């Protein structure tokens, strides 16, 4: 008989953080650990962006397969790609000058993942397929806390009205934007038509009377 595999249903355990409705809603996002890579430039044309995404998935799957082959096998899904975005000039988000965007791409990791395991997975992934962005990969905890979010369905280029609606919703709650614009990509753009892409758009905020 084969080994009994313990299964971590991360999608169910974390469902409230990885699902959203079309209407804006408030959510309290706890600290979670991520593989993360920082970069700059147009995500549609930057080779660094594509390499960073490939590096994240390479290490994430290396970690997953390592647990599957462990003495006590554990299986869990690799979570969706996420990204934090900012620009020195916020207008660049509206005028389409993506070359001025700063990004952090990331993939959430379960609690069983540790720094030594990540370091070993990076070394293994690098040995299989060299990728310069592996040298920039970080393993860190990120906490957003109070946030507003909604589900955008359609191409990434059509997010503008939903971003404005989310910001207006936050203002109506007496809030001010904090931290970076956050997107969670629930669909694989290689296999999904642009009009069917599902993206959670999230924005952390604080109330105006909070320090």
């Amino acid at each position: 008989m084969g080994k009994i595999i313990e299964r971590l249903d991360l999608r169910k355990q974390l469902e409230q953080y990885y699902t959203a409705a079309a209407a804006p809603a408030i959510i309290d996002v706890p600290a979670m650990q991520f593989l993360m890579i920082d970069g700059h430039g147009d995500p549609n044309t930057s080779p660094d962006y594509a390499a960073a995404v490939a590096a994240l998935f390479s290490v994430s799957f290396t970690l997953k397969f390592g647990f599957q082959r462990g003495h006590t096998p554990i299986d869990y899904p690799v979570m969706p790609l996420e990204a934090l975005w900012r620009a020195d000039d916020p207008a660049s988000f509206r005028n389409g000058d993506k070359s001025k965007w700063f990004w952090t791409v990331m993939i959430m990791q379960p609690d069983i993942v540790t720094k030594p395991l990540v370091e070993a997975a990076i070394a293994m992934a690098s040995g299989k397929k060299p990728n310069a962005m592996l040298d920039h990969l970080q393993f860190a905890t990120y906490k957003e806390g109070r946030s507003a979010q909604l589900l955008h369905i359609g191409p990434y280029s059509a997010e503008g009205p939903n971003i404005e609606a989310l910001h207006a919703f936050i203002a109506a709650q007496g809030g001010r934007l904090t931290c970076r614009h956050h997107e969670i990509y629930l669909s694989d753009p290689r296999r999904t038509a642009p009009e069917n892409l599902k993206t959670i758009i999230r924005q952390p905020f604080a109330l105006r009377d909070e320090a």
Side-chain angles (χ1 to χ4, degrees), residues 40-55 103 131-133:
H40 173 263
D42 187 337
N44 295 315
T45 59
S46 168
D48 282 351
Y49 184 87
V53 171
W103 41 261
N131 181 333
M133 296 306 287

Side-chain angles (χ1 to χ4, degrees), residues 24 148 150 162-172 175 177 181 201 203:
L150 55 72
N162 271 328
I163 293 174
E164 292 180 3
L166 192 64
H167 291 182
F169 172 78
I170 290 171
L177 308 187
H181 174 87
I201 300 175
Q203 177 61 59

Side-chain angles (χ1 to χ4, degrees), residues 92-142:
S92 67
F93 283 116
R94 297 190 296 272
N95 63 26
D97 188 359
K98 298 178 182 179
S99 65
K100 296 181 179 179
W101 290 6
F102 292 86
W103 41 261
T104 297
V105 285
M106 57 194 199
I107 296 178
M108 181 270 171
Q109 303 298 310
D111 292 340
I112 55 175
V113 172
T114 63
K115 185 175 181 179
L117 291 175
V118 170
E119 292 172 346
I122 291 173
M124 187 176 296
S126 182
K128 290 181 178 179
K129 188 174 183 179
N131 181 333
M133 296 306 287
L134 287 168
D135 294 336
H136 300 278
L137 192 149
Q138 308 166 55
F139 180 54
T141 297
Y142 184 68

Side-chain angles (χ1 to χ4, degrees), residues 14-34:
L14 302 171
E15 182 177 13
Q16 63 179 312
Y17 310 117
Y18 287 90
T19 58
I26 297 174
I27 186 171
D28 187 27
V29 187
M32 291 185 273
Q33 56 183 16
F34 293 85

